[in-house]
């Protein structure tokens, strides 16, 4: 007999079905017991009116793996209006111990560190799982939307010889007697690959040795990257990014519809043109209201991003806001200056619900500009010889962006801490599970 998913039960009323899954909960009442079986798609209620079977199930720990064969029947009070009756139950694997945190409650009741310590089990909870359904749909939507626009997916090395985003936040690795690093981003390789495919994207892990403990930083996260050749300036990149995010939102709505309903999410509408504010204007707006002196500050603090998020919602009815024209001082050496003012750049951040989600911009593309930019920062061009070779041999004007996958999902599901949307987060104190 073929297996039926719990989610298919409503369509199988009146039929004999075979379910497989985990013992989510056993509720013993005086005359009858209810077994709630969980599989990867949902829950099913199984009516146990055989006292011996109920007693046998009661001796099992929750999370034991079961096979249940019975008849699907309409039942108004059961999940999705259907339950399984006259069951035959086979124990496939008896769990060796009770779960560290009870999984049957609608919401997990434990502190975040406990949930993370026991992630191999707590991730099974329907609400935990739902967050990663949103993650999976996001990646699918990102890929689909860029592929439809002629982008080619690449995978670039994560063991690298030089820091891409500045030297401080990089993990060193012992590499056959030499020093190597874990890639902070696919930046150099995605740019090089513009010379091959013109339009590329990558979904992959990146590593940041940031020694701080914040609710929005991980030491390993998933970066959604793209790079585009033959652009006029950063505004062409912003248009592609807008479409990529619209594709992500659409995929979450369709492919993760169950998760969206369970978590009661509002998936944002992406405006055709995302509102945009120049960095200096943004500082003036904030200063005018808060009285802070921000002139000369090279970056926005998290509180400023939150303020701008509120402003965008109020003034533009948008949950997204581009901030453009960041000062050169805080941007990596590959950043293209603003042709009108070399102290500023053709770069941008995209804020989503008051938090930085994306950084991107136009890059330098002339070999001599790279040599000058490295010299100005006192960097040895020899360290970047592989990267520079691409520019020596002709590269078009290009630009791209990098987006933190967990940042997107955490805003979407309203997570208080980004660790809630990383399967097995890596942070200052956490290298396991
Ligand atoms: P940047 O370093 O700003 O840019 O990173 C891009 C985006 O990645 C996310 N992010 C993080 N998410 C979780 N934990 C972290 N520690 C973390 N650090 C960054 C943010 C951020 O906006 N090469 C450039 C991108 C480009 O220009 O193409 C880069 O890596 O959402």
């Amino acid at each position: 007999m073929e297996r039926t998913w719990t989610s298919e039960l409503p369509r199988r009323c009146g039929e004999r079905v075979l379910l497989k899954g985990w013992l989510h909960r056993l509720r013993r009442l005086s005359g009858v017991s209810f077994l709630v079986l969980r599989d990867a798609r949902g829950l099913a209620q199984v009516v146990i009116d055989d006292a011996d079977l109920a007693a046998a199930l009661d001796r099992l720990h929750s999370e034991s793996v079961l096979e249940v064969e019975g008849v699907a029947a309409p039942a108004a009070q059961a999940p999705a209006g259907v339950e399984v009756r006259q069951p035959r139950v086979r124990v496939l694997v008896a769990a060796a111990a009770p779960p560290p945190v009870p999984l049957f409650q609608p919401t997990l009741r434990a502190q975040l560190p406990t949930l993370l310590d026991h992630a191999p089990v707590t991730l099974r909870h329907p609400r935990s799982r739902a967050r990663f359904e949103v993650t999976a749909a996001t990646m699918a939507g990102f890929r689909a939307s860029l592929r439809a626009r002629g982008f080619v997916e690449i995978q670039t090395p994560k063991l690298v010889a030089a820091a891409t985003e500045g030297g401080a936040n990089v993990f060193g690795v012992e590499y056959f007697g030499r020093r190597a690093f874990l890639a902070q981003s696919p930046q150099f390789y995605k740019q090089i690959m513009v010379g091959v495919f013109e339009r590329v994207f990558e979904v992959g892990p990146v590593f940041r040795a940031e020694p701080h403990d914040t609710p929005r930083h991980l030491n390993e996260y998933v970066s959604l990257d793209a790079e585009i050749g033959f652009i006029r300036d950063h505004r062409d990149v912003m248009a592609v990014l807008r479409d990529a995010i619209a594709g992500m939102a659409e995929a979450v709505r369709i492919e993760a519809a169950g998760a969206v309903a369970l978590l009661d999410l509002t998936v944002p509408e992406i405006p055709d043109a995302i509102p945009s504010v120049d960095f200096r204007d943004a500082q003036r707006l904030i200063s005018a209201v808060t009285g802070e002196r921000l002139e000369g500050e090279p970056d926005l603090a998290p509180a400023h991003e939150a303020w701008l998020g509120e402003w965008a919602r109020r003034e533009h009815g948008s949950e997204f806001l581009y901030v453009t024209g960041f000062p050169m001082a805080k941007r990596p050496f590959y950043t293209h200056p603003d042709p009108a003012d070399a102290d500023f750049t053709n770069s941008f951040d995209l804020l989503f619900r008051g938090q930085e989600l994306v950084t991107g911009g136009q890059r330098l593309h002339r070999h001599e500009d790279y040599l000058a930019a490295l010299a100005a920062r006192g960097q040895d061009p020899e360290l970047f010889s592989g990267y520079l070779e691409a520019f020596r041999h002709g590269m078009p004007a290009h630009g791209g962006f990098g987006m933190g996958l967990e940042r997107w999902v955490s805003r979407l599901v309203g997570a208080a801490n980004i660790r809630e949307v990383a399967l097995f987060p890596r942070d200052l104190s956490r290298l396991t599970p």
Side-chain angles (χ1 to χ4, degrees), residues 266-307:
T266 309
V267 182
E269 292 298 330
I270 321 297
D272 286 341
I274 294 176
S276 174
V277 62
D278 178 76
F279 177 81
R280 281 163 286 182
D281 292 336
Q283 284 187 323
R284 280 183 211 113
L285 280 169
I286 299 167
S287 295
V289 174
T290 66
E292 280 176 87
R293 291 181 58 90
L294 296 176
E295 226 169 286
E297 284 294 322
D299 210 350
L300 296 172
H304 300 146
E305 292 175 6
W307 191 94

Side-chain angles (χ1 to χ4, degrees), residues 37-59:
L37 189 79
R38 187 189 73 245
D39 67 14
R41 309 222 175 142
L43 302 173
Q45 175 167 294
V46 182
V47 185
I48 313 281
D49 32 28
D50 170 343
D52 292 340
L53 176 57
L57 289 173
D58 208 12
R59 286 191 292 274

Side-chain angles (χ1 to χ4, degrees), residues 25 27 35 48 81 110 119 137 200 211 237 247 269 284 309 314 328 333 376:
R25 185 177 198 185
R27 279 170 58 219
L35 160 67
I48 313 281
V200 294
V237 178
E269 292 298 330
R284 280 183 211 113
R314 213 171 48 237
M328 189 55 108
F333 70 89

Side-chain angles (χ1 to χ4, degrees), residues 321-396:
L321 178 69
Y322 275 124
V323 182
T324 58
F326 279 79
M328 189 55 108
K330 264 297 184 71
R331 292 277 157 165
F333 70 89
Y334 53 76
T335 310
H336 198 291
D338 176 352
D341 184 345
D343 287 340
F344 293 86
T345 60
N346 275 4
S347 73
F348 61 83
D349 274 4
L350 177 64
L351 311 185
F352 171 41
R353 296 185 178 163
Q355 188 178 90
E356 176 191 329
L357 171 66
V358 185
T359 294
Q362 182 179 0
R363 329 296 188 184
L364 300 175
H365 63 280
R366 293 199 172 81
H367 188 240
E368 61 273 23
D369 291 344
Y370 273 95
L371 294 180
L374 287 169
R377 300 199 184 205
Q379 296 263 27
D380 178 4
E382 224 5 76
L383 282 176
F384 303 90
S385 59
Y387 178 50
L388 294 181
E389 185 169 28
F391 302 101
R392 190 207 287 270
H393 296 285
M395 283 287 284

Side-chain angles (χ1 to χ4, degrees), residues 146-161:
L146 289 179
R147 284 168 58 89
R149 286 164 180 78
F151 284 72
V152 177
E153 180 163 7
I154 57 171
Q155 286 293 330
T156 64
K158 303 305 156 211
L159 280 167
V160 297

Side-chain angles (χ1 to χ4, degrees), residues 124-182:
R124 295 178 185 182
H125 189 274
R127 292 183 70 90
S128 304
R129 186 179 64 209
R131 297 199 288 269
F132 297 96
E133 288 168 11
V134 170
T135 302
T138 296
M139 291 189 283
F142 180 76
R143 289 190 159 107
S145 131
L146 289 179
R147 284 168 58 89
R149 286 164 180 78
F151 284 72
V152 177
E153 180 163 7
I154 57 171
Q155 286 293 330
T156 64
K158 303 305 156 211
L159 280 167
V160 297
T164 52
E165 308 299 326
N169 301 327
V170 59
F171 286 110
V173 179
E174 165 73 20
Y175 192 74
F176 301 121
R178 275 189 290 160
R179 186 134 172 90
F181 303 100
L182 292 179

Side-chain angles (χ1 to χ4, degrees), residues 165 187 190 208 210 218 221 356-357 359 363 401:
E165 308 299 326
Q187 184 65 36
K190 67 176 179 170
R208 301 285 171 101
E210 285 149 351
L218 294 163
Y221 68 91
E356 176 191 329
L357 171 66
T359 294
R363 329 296 188 184
F401 62 82

